[in-house]
């Protein structure tokens, strides 16, 4: 396979290495090959990044073949100013869009940590004039606007330092927003590339959607949502050439959806899908700019958090309902999944999809600690991000209420999954149908939770609140829930897995006794069994 020959290991880190095609030698600053660090030690992640970077390089090679002249190797002060201004507007615009949608307390705190890290990195780069860690971003902005500047050149240093200073100022502005200061996003005109694509190489929006599909493995539901958004746009405007789509087209698309009576959250989702497709195209030099950038769905005057935690009364209602107190197993709840999925969610903070896909082999043991191994290994398994791969100790309450007895019974039945009765929905989502059942059950008289902000995901918010109330540090509860730590640089050092002992101590510090102690307790004869060979 071509891509496999492009993957090399240097020390402990994977790199991409690509030989420059013979017909392009002399058009690039490299003489024989391009080598680029993928910044990961994980083989699976390296292969994923390799596919993305390989496509970018192949596109770059193709554009070099088509253009009559190589990309410019000099840049004027005016051009530096315009591109740098555009980079600031891009960062602050994206930041403002996120705040308009609304930040949860968890997201706000995580952003606070990230900006603190960005500030320190930017301040150091400005003070020292060290562009090394910024080179890939500098190169991307230059290449995306028609320039190929030698890194050793004065013009590259001039642009790079201006870019770093501007990004540092953008970070300071974002921190001001964190403090509640009203910082406007500056306006910047799109910078048309010096060498636009040759005539005849134009792509339609449908073509860009297909390109988006090819860049990564997409979940069927996500593919369906993005395809539907493109379909809505094409129905209104036709299948336009992508480089002729303007901001006015996007605004008309958004207004038409609102006029059709779609919920604002739905309109935002379709607009976001369109913007993601166009942004990927822009990032890969297929279109000069993203015309959806800056188009917004105005929110209602009174906004609420999209998701909130369960109250103590909510939890007593859930775990005092017939599924938990009387042993009822509704058909829509997929048998014992109706009981165990909420129990696991409460005591781990795991996402619904992560719980639903668990296999018996994912319940493991190291020394005397039993834990869930949340991973994307195995057919059909996936995680939201690299940080989502994690080990979460099993709370003593789960053993007390018979989790290990349940597992032993499944083993005797020859099952592989923890919830064998779960059936995928039409989009291939294993917990899709179960989620709909849970929504109906939670709103029913038996439970009676009517606040629409309270969904299954509220278990995750509840778990985070419990961690904070117990005084558990953010690094530990981020490791438990699979959130990327604000100190990403620090997390690169040490073992690739967070130690189990502090995680187990944290889990033991979380008490759900007032909610779960009233539930019937099952036979515990197997709950202390050893897991030989590391798995049940």
């Amino acid at each position: 396979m071509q891509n496999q020959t492009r993957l090399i290991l240097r020390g402990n880190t994977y790199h991409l290495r690509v030989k420059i095609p013979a017909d392009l030698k002399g058009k690039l600053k490299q003489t024989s090959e391009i080598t680029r660090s993928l910044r990961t030690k994980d083989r699976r992640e390296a292969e994923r990044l390799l596919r993305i970077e390989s496509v970018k390089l192949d596109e770059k090679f193709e554009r070099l073949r088509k253009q009559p002249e190589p990309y410019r190797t000099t840049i004027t002060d005016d051009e530096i100013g315009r591109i740098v201004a555009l980079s600031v507007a891009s960062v602050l615009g994206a930041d403002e869009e996120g705040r308009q949608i609304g930040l949860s307390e968890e997201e706000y705190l995580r952003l606070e940590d990230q900006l603190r890290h960005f500030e320190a990195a930017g301040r150091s780069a400005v003070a020292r004039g060290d562009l090394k860690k910024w080179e890939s971003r500098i190169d991307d902005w230059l290449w995306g606007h028609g320039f190929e500047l030698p890194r050793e050149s004065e013009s590259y240093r001039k642009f790079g330092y201006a870019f770093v200073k501007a990004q540092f100022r953008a970070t300071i502005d974002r921190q001001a927003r964190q403090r509640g200061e009203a910082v406007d996003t500056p306006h910047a005109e799109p910078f048309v590339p010096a060498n636009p694509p040759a005539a005849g190489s134009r792509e339609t929006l449908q073509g860009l959607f297909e390109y988006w599909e090819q860049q990564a493995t997409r979940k069927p539901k996500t593919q369906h949502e993005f395809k539907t958004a493109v379909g809505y746009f094409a129905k209104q405007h036709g299948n336009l050439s992508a480089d002729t789509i303007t901001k006015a087209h996007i605004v008309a698309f958004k207004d038409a959806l609102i006029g059709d009576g779609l919920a604002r959250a739905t309109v935002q989702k379709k607009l976001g899908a369109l913007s993601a497709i166009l942004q990927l195209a822009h990032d890969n030099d297929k279109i000069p700019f993203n015309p959806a950038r800056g188009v917004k769905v105005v929110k209602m005057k009174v906004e609420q958090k999209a998701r909130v935690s369960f109250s103590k009364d909510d939890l007593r209602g859930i775990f005092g309902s017939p599924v938990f107190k009387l042993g009822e197993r509704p058909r829509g709840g997929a048998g014992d999944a109706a009981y165990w999925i909420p129990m696991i969610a409460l005591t781990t903070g795991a996402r619904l999809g992560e719980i639903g896909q668990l296999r018996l082999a994912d319940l493991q043991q190291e020394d005397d600690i039993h834990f869930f191994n949340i991973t994307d290994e195995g057919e059909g398994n996936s995680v939201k991000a690299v940080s989502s791969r994690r080990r979460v100790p099993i709370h003593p309450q789960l053993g007390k209420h018979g989790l290990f007895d349940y597992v032993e019974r499944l083993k005797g039945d020859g099952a592989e999954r923890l919830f064998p009765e779960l059936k995928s929905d039409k989009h291939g989502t294993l917990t899709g149908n179960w989620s709909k059942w849970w929504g109906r059950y939670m709103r029913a008289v038996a439970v009676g939770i009517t606040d629409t902000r309270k969904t299954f995901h509220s278990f995750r918010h509840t778990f985070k609140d419990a961690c904070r109330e117990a005084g558990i540090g953010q690094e530990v509860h981020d490791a438990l829930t699979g959130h990327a730590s604000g100190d990403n640089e620090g997390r690169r050092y040490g073992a690739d897995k967070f130690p189990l002992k502090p995680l187990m101590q944290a889990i033991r510090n979380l008490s759900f006794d007032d909610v779960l102690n009233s539930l019937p307790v099952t036979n515990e004869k197997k709950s202390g069994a050893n897991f030989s060979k590391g798995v049940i």
Side-chain angles (χ1 to χ4, degrees):
M1 297 292 291
Q2 181 188 33
N3 278 353
Q4 292 303 313
T5 63
R6 292 180 169 186
L7 186 65
I8 62 172
L9 185 64
R10 287 186 173 176
N12 294 323
T13 305
Y14 284 97
H15 288 66
L16 167 145
R17 182 175 67 187
V18 180
K19 290 185 177 180
I20 296 176
D23 61 323
L24 295 180
K25 289 183 177 179
K27 288 191 174 184
L28 292 165
K29 60 177 178 286
Q30 296 90 344
T31 57
S32 60
E33 66 180 27
I34 295 173
T35 304
R36 184 175 302 167
S37 173
L38 297 174
R39 298 182 180 179
T40 182
K41 300 176 183 179
D42 181 80
R43 173 81 184 198
R44 182 188 292 269
E45 178 66 2
E47 289 175 349
R48 185 185 72 81
L49 294 172
L50 177 72
R51 289 192 293 271
I52 296 172
E53 294 299 322
S54 288
V55 168
K56 288 182 181 179
L57 278 175
D58 290 337
E59 288 287 333
K60 179 176 181 176
F61 292 160
E62 192 57 29
R63 290 196 58 176
L64 281 172
R65 289 187 178 99
K66 288 181 178 179
Q67 64 187 33
E69 297 293 335
Y71 271 30
R72 287 174 51 191
T73 56
T74 59
I75 189 170
T76 66
D77 289 348
D78 176 66
E79 288 168 333
I80 289 175
R82 288 163 60 197
I83 296 174
V84 166
L86 190 60
S87 76
V88 172
S90 174
V91 169
L92 291 179
D95 179 84
E96 186 169 15
E97 287 175 20
R99 295 177 193 274
Q100 287 176 336
I101 294 171
L103 298 177
S104 67
E105 182 67 16
E106 176 184 319
E107 290 167 334
Y108 176 87
L109 293 174
R110 190 161 64 248
L111 181 57
E112 187 83 28
D113 287 338
Q114 289 174 344
L115 290 176
R116 195 177 297 116
H117 175 75
F118 293 161
E119 180 197 4
R123 192 177 296 278
S124 174
V126 171
R128 297 171 181 271
D130 184 2
L131 306 181
K132 196 67 178 177
K133 293 182 179 179
W134 296 75
E135 284 178 345
S136 62
R137 291 184 63 192
I138 293 169
D139 289 344
D140 286 344
W141 274 89
L142 285 170
W143 170 257
H145 295 88
F147 298 89
E148 186 86 6
L149 306 182
R151 286 183 178 175
E152 66 274 12
S153 68
E154 181 181 349
S155 56
Y156 183 92
R157 295 283 310 171
K158 193 171 187 177
F159 175 87
Y161 192 65
F163 179 87
V164 168
K165 287 194 300 181
Q167 292 299 302
F168 174 66
R169 287 194 295 268
T171 297
I172 299 301
D173 285 342
R174 294 175 71 191
Q175 288 180 319
R177 287 176 175 173
Q178 286 288 101
R179 297 191 297 270
E181 297 178 26
V183 178
D184 292 332
T185 298
H187 174 72
E189 291 294 333
F191 188 99
V192 179
N195 293 296
S201 65
R202 288 178 160 183
E203 292 199 61
T204 63
L205 180 60
Q206 176 62 33
L208 296 185
F209 166 70
E210 292 170 359
Y211 179 74
W212 171 86
E213 282 187 303
Q214 296 166 3
Q215 297 306 292
T217 301
R218 313 288 185 181
K219 293 182 179 179
K221 184 177 181 180
T222 304
Q223 284 183 307
H224 175 75
E225 290 173 348
F226 277 55
K227 185 175 183 179
T228 300
V230 170
Y232 267 98
F233 186 90
K235 183 177 180 180
Q236 184 180 7
H237 295 299
N239 197 21
L240 297 175
S241 174
D243 58 2
T244 66
I245 297 174
T246 65
K247 189 171 184 177
H249 288 118
I250 306 296
V251 171
F253 163 77
K254 180 259 297 179
D255 290 346
L257 294 176
I258 293 174
D260 287 344
L262 273 67
R264 290 179 183 272
T266 303
V267 176
Q268 183 63 54
K269 184 176 288 188
K270 294 187 184 300
L271 179 62
L274 207 62
S275 182
I277 293 169
L278 293 168
Q279 186 62 42
L280 179 68
H282 167 60
D283 290 343
N284 288 274
D285 298 329
K286 290 182 171 292
I287 54 176
F289 63 96
N290 177 3
R293 171 68 72 184
V295 179
K296 300 176 177 64
V297 178
V298 178
K299 301 176 78 174
M300 305 302 289
K301 287 185 178 179
V302 179
E303 291 293 337
Q304 294 180 315
K305 287 179 65 176
R307 299 287 183 266
V308 295
S309 305
F310 288 126
S311 67
K312 290 292 185 184
D313 287 340
D314 293 333
L315 294 175
R316 292 187 187 101
I318 291 170
F319 294 103
S321 67
V323 163
F324 300 92
K325 276 297 183 69
L326 304 178
E328 291 187 3
R329 295 294 181 263
R331 179 180 298 178
D336 288 310
Y339 180 91
W340 284 113
I341 288 180
M343 290 280 281
I344 294 172
L346 175 68
T347 56
T348 66
R351 301 175 179 90
L352 174 57
E354 294 171 341
I355 300 171
Q357 73 183 14
L358 285 170
R359 303 169 187 270
L360 299 186
D362 294 327
L363 276 72
Q364 301 182 7
Q365 178 183 353
E366 184 174 297
D367 297 328
D368 61 345
I369 299 175
H370 302 93
F371 61 91
F372 296 109
N373 183 39
I374 296 175
T375 178
D376 54 351
E377 295 178 0
E379 184 179 355
N381 281 14
S382 64
V383 291
K384 187 174 182 179
V386 173
S387 60
S388 300
R389 300 176 189 143
R390 63 196 188 279
R391 302 178 296 175
V392 184
I394 296 173
H395 195 284
Q397 280 280 9
L398 297 182
K400 176 180 178 179
H401 288 92
L403 176 64
F404 301 118
D405 294 339
Y406 169 65
V407 169
E408 289 296 321
R409 174 162 59 82
L410 290 177
K411 288 176 62 180
D413 294 340
E416 292 185 1
R417 290 194 175 274
L418 189 57
F419 305 112
E421 294 185 45
L422 284 180
K423 304 298 180 187
S424 299
D425 64 11
K426 63 181 180 180
H427 300 300
T429 303
L430 188 59
T431 52
N433 291 325
W434 192 95
S435 178
K436 293 176 183 177
W437 167 79
W438 173 257
R440 295 191 301 270
Y441 184 76
M442 190 175 61
R443 312 289 181 214
V445 176
V447 178
I449 297 176
T450 57
D451 187 338
T452 56
R453 296 174 300 162
K454 294 179 179 180
T455 66
F456 186 87
H457 202 70
S458 295
F459 280 120
R460 193 162 166 83
H461 290 270
T462 303
F463 182 85
K464 276 287 191 179
D465 287 345
C467 286
R468 294 184 180 112
E469 289 175 8
I472 297 169
Q474 181 171 336
E475 183 183 26
V476 174
H477 67 71
D478 278 350
L480 288 169
T481 55
H483 281 123
S485 171
D487 184 13
N488 286 327
E489 182 66 27
R491 287 284 293 274
R492 293 194 182 103
Y493 291 85
D496 61 342
K497 294 179 180 178
F498 202 97
L500 278 170
K501 286 186 178 180
L503 297 180
M504 186 69 246
Q505 184 59 52
I507 287 291
R508 286 174 176 158
N509 286 342
L510 299 175
S511 174
F512 301 103
D513 293 353
D514 56 340
V515 174
L516 302 181
N517 268 355
S518 62
L519 297 186
V521 177
T522 63
N523 190 336
E524 297 182 60
K525 64 182 179 179
K526 295 171 185 172
S527 62
N530 289 323
F531 298 170
S532 59
K533 300 182 181 177
V535 297
I536 292 180

